Amino acid sequence: MTNLNFRPLWRYEDAWWEGVVTTLELTALAVLGGLALGLLGARALRSGHPVATRITRGYVEVIRNTPALIQIFLIFFVLPGLGLRLPPFPAAAIALSIYFGAYMTEIFRSGLDSIPKSQIEAGACLGLSRWQMFRHVVLPPALRNIYPSMTSQFVLLMLGTSLASQVSVDELFHAAGFIDSRTYRSFEVYALACAIYLGMAIFFRLAFAGIGKLAFRWPEGR
């Protein structure tokens, strides 16, 4: 059995860091795009407009029931045939935004639906405008209700950015593949990559839990 040796991996410290940074950048862009799509989608589902509702429902069902990797491939490999060629990073960011947006549409919708109609009617009786009602009556409890789901989906998206390596985005998993091809220490390389992903996931979960307790005054243990 070959002895484990992590030492050769540290010669590629810059590649590791670049992979982590690219992973976080890709995650941030996909989250921003997905949040925007999710808000628009939830709005469309609650609009009562039959066409908007059907289109949004179709978008959610198609995206949530097909592999994210195929969606990345469609944007990166198929769109050039239609005259739209995107570099790997933007293509992956758009695909992951669309993917994240489908899940956020349902999360936002469930959060808005969780607000009792009596609470909204009470705000209207107080003479609040639609914006004031949304800001003070609807948004705080809705955000509190969906916050755990949002943060869990964020972590899953961050881990899912590894799929972008299949279109040559220089994120963490792609960096690991490059280092493996240079060192031939496959176990050590992917064990370290796994540890980095695990560390980032735990960090964000703890950070989001702390933010949730401060923002929503959750009791200990939630």
Side-chain angles (χ1 to χ4, degrees):
M1 180 176 178
T2 305
N3 293 328
L4 296 180
N5 183 10
F6 287 87
R7 190 172 300 173
L9 277 56
W10 303 120
R11 295 201 300 267
Y12 299 93
E13 181 180 357
D14 290 344
W16 287 113
W17 280 112
E18 182 180 346
V20 170
V21 170
T22 303
T23 293
L24 295 177
E25 290 175 344
L26 184 58
T27 302
L29 287 175
V31 165
L32 291 175
L35 288 175
L37 288 174
L39 286 170
L40 291 173
R43 170 97 177 168
L45 289 177
R46 290 171 55 86
S47 67
H49 194 285
V51 175
T53 300
R54 290 194 188 99
I55 291 174
T56 304
R57 183 58 61 193
Y59 156 67
V60 170
E61 291 301 319
V62 169
I63 297 301
R64 291 180 63 181
N65 291 288
T66 54
L69 182 58
I70 291 180
Q71 297 164 24
I72 294 174
F73 278 14
L74 285 173
I75 290 180
F76 186 72
F77 292 114
V78 176
L79 287 186
L82 302 176
L84 180 58
R85 184 179 299 276
L86 295 173
F89 186 90
I94 291 172
L96 291 173
S97 295
I98 294 171
Y99 179 78
F100 188 65
Y103 286 88
M104 290 310 303
T105 295
E106 284 298 309
I107 290 174
F108 283 135
R109 181 200 57 76
S110 65
L112 295 173
D113 287 348
S114 69
I115 308 304
K117 289 184 178 180
S118 59
Q119 196 167 320
I120 299 174
E121 291 170 354
C125 291
L126 292 174
L128 298 178
S129 66
R130 294 186 65 179
W131 166 246
Q132 290 174 325
M133 199 180 308
F134 177 77
R135 179 182 176 187
H136 299 292
V137 178
V138 176
L139 184 60
L143 188 58
R144 177 189 174 96
N145 292 338
I146 67 175
Y147 184 78
S149 299
M150 286 179 59
T151 56
S152 295
Q153 201 63 44
F154 173 91
V155 173
L156 290 174
L157 175 66
M158 183 197 69
L159 299 177
T161 57
S162 59
L163 297 173
S165 64
Q166 301 304 304
V167 292
S168 301
V169 176
D170 294 327
E171 46 71 63
L172 178 57
F173 191 76
H174 187 272
F178 168 77
I179 296 169
D180 179 33
S181 70
R182 296 298 185 273
T183 62
Y184 299 101
R185 310 295 300 189
S186 298
F187 180 85
E188 292 91 330
V189 166
Y190 292 110
L192 180 57
C194 182
I196 295 173
Y197 277 117
L198 178 62
M200 290 194 297
I202 292 174
F203 169 79
F204 281 114
R205 287 192 183 276
L206 292 175
F208 288 138
I211 293 171
K213 288 178 181 178
L214 290 174
F216 305 112
R217 299 296 188 266
W218 280 335
E220 293 292 331
R222 176 154 182 178

